[in-house]
Amino acid sequence: GNPKMQSIRPALSNATRHNMQRLVMLRSVVMICLTAVIIGLRLASIPLPVLPLLLAITGLGLLNGIAWWRLKHTQQTTQRELFTQLLGDIAALSVLFYFSGGYSNPFIWMYLFPVTVAAVDLRIAYAWIIAGLSITCYTLLMFYHVPLSHLHMHAQLDAKNSIHLDIHLVGMWLGFVVSSIIVAIFIARIGQNLRDYDK
């Protein structure tokens, strides 16, 4: 075979392996953030269907367990493995969003995570499948979901004045902060990988 192609394949597999490791790390951050939000809302006496939400987060944990086991017992990670992991992410996120307001959930754009990973690391066909499924799930959640009551938080400034904060807007802000940090970390690491392989 072509010696150049033979040298490229291990490098690509190694890059996919590193990206799988980073996916495990990022998924762990997402799980911690989502769990903290659920606990915080429950402590604030805001009604949530906790069981299905925790089951969805547990599903993400199982994906991490499988990925960790594969990384420990194999030296190469295939694009198909990473693709399958991302499909699992989309499924778990869809369950979580279905039971927590659907398209109005402030964390709905966490669908961008599997899309970003796929766009950076997977071949174009896999990337388009992940993007298409994410868009489809988001669209379906506009029509099929368990609605949450319109919730508000009140913070008293003094006896005469108060701030009226829409919890959805607060959640959107928090979702933006978390998403931005995680995407920035992932893309920065991927860029470093590409620069290393270029060298």
Side-chain angles (χ1 to χ4, degrees):
N2 189 326
K4 187 176 181 180
M5 289 301 296
Q6 290 178 353
S7 66
I8 289 175
R9 288 193 188 98
L12 290 175
S13 177
N14 195 38
T16 303
R17 181 179 176 83
H18 285 311
N19 293 336
M20 178 75 86
Q21 292 170 340
R22 294 193 175 99
L23 176 61
V24 169
M25 176 192 71
L26 294 176
R27 191 185 283 141
S28 298
V29 173
V30 168
M31 290 167 56
I32 292 171
C33 290
L34 291 175
T35 302
V37 168
I38 292 172
I39 292 174
L41 292 178
R42 287 300 297 169
L43 290 177
S45 300
I46 294 173
L48 282 174
V50 176
L51 182 58
L53 298 183
L54 292 181
L55 286 176
I57 295 174
T58 301
L60 293 174
L62 290 175
L63 287 172
N64 256 6
I66 294 171
W68 180 83
W69 188 89
R70 288 290 297 167
L71 289 168
K72 184 176 180 181
H73 291 86
T74 62
Q75 293 302 311
Q76 293 188 342
T77 301
T78 66
Q79 289 215 342
R80 183 173 295 180
E81 283 185 82
L82 186 55
F83 173 71
T84 304
Q85 285 276 322
L86 295 177
L87 290 179
D89 283 326
I90 292 174
L93 289 175
S94 296
V95 171
L96 190 145
F97 296 142
Y98 174 81
F99 286 102
S100 56
Y103 74 106
S104 66
N105 187 300
F107 291 93
I108 189 75
W109 58 337
M110 282 187 173
Y111 276 132
L112 286 175
F113 294 157
V115 173
T116 302
V117 175
V120 170
D121 193 61
L122 298 183
R123 64 174 62 102
I124 189 68
Y126 283 158
W128 277 113
I129 291 173
I130 293 295
L133 283 174
S134 297
I135 293 170
T136 299
C137 290
Y138 195 137
T139 304
L140 288 174
L141 286 168
M142 295 176 68
F143 305 99
Y144 306 101
H145 59 268
V146 176
L148 297 178
S149 57
H150 191 62
L151 304 168
H152 294 86
M153 293 186 303
H154 297 270
Q156 295 295 327
L157 283 177
D158 51 43
K160 296 181 180 180
N161 301 308
S162 66
I163 295 177
H164 188 64
L165 297 175
D166 190 323
I167 193 170
H168 179 73
L169 297 179
V170 174
M172 288 293 287
W173 173 82
L174 182 59
F176 175 78
V177 171
V178 173
S179 301
S180 298
I181 292 172
I182 291 177
V183 169
I185 292 172
F186 189 82
I187 295 299
R189 293 292 187 178
I190 296 302
Q192 187 61 52
N193 268 359
L194 295 175
R195 287 189 289 273
D196 290 343
Y197 287 121
D198 283 341
K199 293 178 183 178

